[in-house]
């Protein structure tokens, strides 16, 4: 990699982008829950900062490619803020695939549960036999993995139970036990794609905007919040069913022809007591509009 510099190299802020003072407060709000997770998992500030270096370097490389700038040590250092010695030491990272590229196709176990939940099948199925059975469902998803192997994986993750020749779902979603790596992979994949959609929408010159909306309500009792949580779960089951029913034939049509696109549709629901700094004179949390076309959050409340 060349160290030569020229006048086309970026100086840290991309053209048309808001400056650090405009972005950092919002980025720190996003980081709050992540830092809580890190601390609960025994990850210290120093460990996290060190681990961020290759992430910043890889992102800088992608941004330089995006704007057609030269891939030099100087350009990477200026844009990422990393010292030149760090850029040189981490050069091997630049040849590694984008971490987001590893979020691709879900496991056969995940696909089986998703197909199960969206197909109107009962929550308990015979282990073997013709459809409807767990064996037939697993073979419909993949002929490369034996149904017994899929079952063992779902049992390990705590998603299903097996008893007396029957396989039963323990929950109405593919949510592995939080102790397993699969649970962390699901969460990180969903959050990463959610952020990627939002960052794309906030980028100047975006060719299109992705769906990235939410509904917010406050001033609720605990019972009312629970009622809305239950409604959200019901609505998600409807969305899941319709999306899978549409996606299955499209995947079967496009995959043999070399289809190379992926899509993730997610939905989340979270409730918590209102913080002291959230309560205004009217009891409503303050809100505003950034003026960006992607800022299309809906609000409901008293």
């Amino acid at each position: 990699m060349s160290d030569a510099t020229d006048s086309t190299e970026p100086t840290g802020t991309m053209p048309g982008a808001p400056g650090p003072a405009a972005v950092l407060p919002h980025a720190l709000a996003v980081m709050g829950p992540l830092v809580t997770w890190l601390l609960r998992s025994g990850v210290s500030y120093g460990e996290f900062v060190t681990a961020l270096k290759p992430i910043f370097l890889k992102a800088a490389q992608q941004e330089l490619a995006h704007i057609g700038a030269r891939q030099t040590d100087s350009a990477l250092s200026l844009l990422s803020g990393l010292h030149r010695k760090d850029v040189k030491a981490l050069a091997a990272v630049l040849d590694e695939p984008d971490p987001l590229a590893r979020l691709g196709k879900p496991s056969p176990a995940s696909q089986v549960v998703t197909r199960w939940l969206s197909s109107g099948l009962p929550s308990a199925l015979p282990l073997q036999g013709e459809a409807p059975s767990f064996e037939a469902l697993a073979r419909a998803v993949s002929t490369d993995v034996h149904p017994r192997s899929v079952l063992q994986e779902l049992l390990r993750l705590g998603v299903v139970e097996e008893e007396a020749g029957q396989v039963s779902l323990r929950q109405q979603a593919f949510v592995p036990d939080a102790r397993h790596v699969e649970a962390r992979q699901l969460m990180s994949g969903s959050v990463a794609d959610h952020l990627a959609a939002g960052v794309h929408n906030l980028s100047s010159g975006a060719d299109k905007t992705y769906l990235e909306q939410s509904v917010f309500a406050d001033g609720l009792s605990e019972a009312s919040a629970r009622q809305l949580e239950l409604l959200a779960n019901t609505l998600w089951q409807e969305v899941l069913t319709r999306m899978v029913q549409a996606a299955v034939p499209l995947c079967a049509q496009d995959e043999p022809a070399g289809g190379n696109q992926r899509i993730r549709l997610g939905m989340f629901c979270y409730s918590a007591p209102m913080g002291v700094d959230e309560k205004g004179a009217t009891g409503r949390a303050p809100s505003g509009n950034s003026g960006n076309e992607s800022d299309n959050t809906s609000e409901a409340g008293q």
Side-chain angles (χ1 to χ4, degrees):
M1 181 179 295
S2 171
D3 284 336
T5 59
D6 61 39
S7 59
T8 64
E9 289 184 345
T11 57
T13 300
M14 305 308 289
V23 171
L24 270 177
H26 303 286
L28 293 176
V30 173
M31 288 296 300
L34 178 58
V35 170
T36 298
W37 184 35
L38 292 172
L39 294 180
R40 289 175 179 173
S41 304
V43 180
S44 69
Y45 168 77
E47 290 175 291
F48 187 51
V49 169
T50 300
L52 278 177
K53 287 184 178 182
I55 304 299
F56 267 79
L57 183 59
K58 189 70 175 178
Q61 180 198 38
Q62 293 169 345
E63 284 302 303
L64 290 175
H66 178 69
I67 64 175
R70 295 179 61 190
Q71 299 277 330
T72 67
D73 287 355
S74 295
L76 290 166
S77 177
L78 285 168
L79 184 56
S80 68
L82 294 172
H83 195 280
R84 291 270 291 273
K85 67 178 183 181
D86 288 322
V87 172
K88 288 183 177 296
L90 296 169
V93 174
L94 301 178
D95 297 324
E96 295 178 358
D98 181 355
L100 288 178
R102 296 196 290 266
L103 300 178
K105 194 169 184 178
S107 67
S110 172
Q111 294 181 71
V112 165
V113 173
T114 300
R115 190 82 64 93
W116 190 343
L117 290 168
S118 63
S119 60
L121 293 170
S123 59
L125 293 173
L127 172 58
Q128 297 177 316
E130 299 296 323
S133 70
F134 179 84
E135 180 182 52
L137 179 62
R139 292 195 184 281
V141 168
S142 174
T143 57
D144 297 327
V145 182
H146 194 278
R148 172 55 66 174
S149 298
V150 177
L151 176 60
Q152 291 299 324
E153 178 66 359
L154 291 174
L155 290 169
R156 182 184 72 86
L157 296 173
V159 177
V160 302
E161 294 176 330
E162 179 189 9
E163 185 177 1
Q166 294 275 315
V167 182
S168 304
L169 283 168
R170 294 186 60 193
Q171 49 208 11
Q172 293 302 302
F174 181 73
V175 184
D177 188 298
R179 296 170 295 180
H180 294 297
V181 64
E182 287 81 2
R184 299 189 290 276
Q185 290 173 335
L186 282 171
M187 191 276 285
S188 60
S190 295
V191 174
D193 277 347
H194 187 174
L195 277 175
V199 169
H200 174 91
N201 291 348
L202 290 171
S203 300
S204 59
D207 55 343
K208 67 175 181 179
T209 56
Y210 291 104
L211 174 64
E212 206 259 317
Q213 300 184 15
S214 63
V215 176
F216 177 82
D218 62 4
L220 297 166
S221 66
E222 187 173 346
S224 295
R226 179 57 180 162
Q227 181 178 338
L228 292 176
E229 289 175 20
L230 293 173
L231 174 60
N233 289 332
T234 299
L235 293 174
W236 169 243
Q237 290 301 318
E238 297 174 4
V239 172
L240 172 69
T241 297
R242 292 192 61 179
M243 282 296 292
V244 172
Q245 288 174 347
V248 167
L250 290 175
C251 288
Q253 164 192 293
D254 297 345
E255 199 166 15
N260 64 356
Q261 298 290 304
R262 67 180 182 87
I263 185 171
R264 186 193 304 271
L265 173 65
M267 180 173 168
F268 73 94
C269 181
Y270 179 72
S271 64
M274 294 168 59
V276 174
D277 58 341
E278 293 178 315
K279 296 179 180 178
T282 62
R284 286 188 50 80
S287 62
N289 193 309
S290 68
N292 186 284
E293 64 180 334
S294 69
D295 187 6
N296 45 20
T297 298
S298 303
E299 291 194 348
Q302 294 178 342

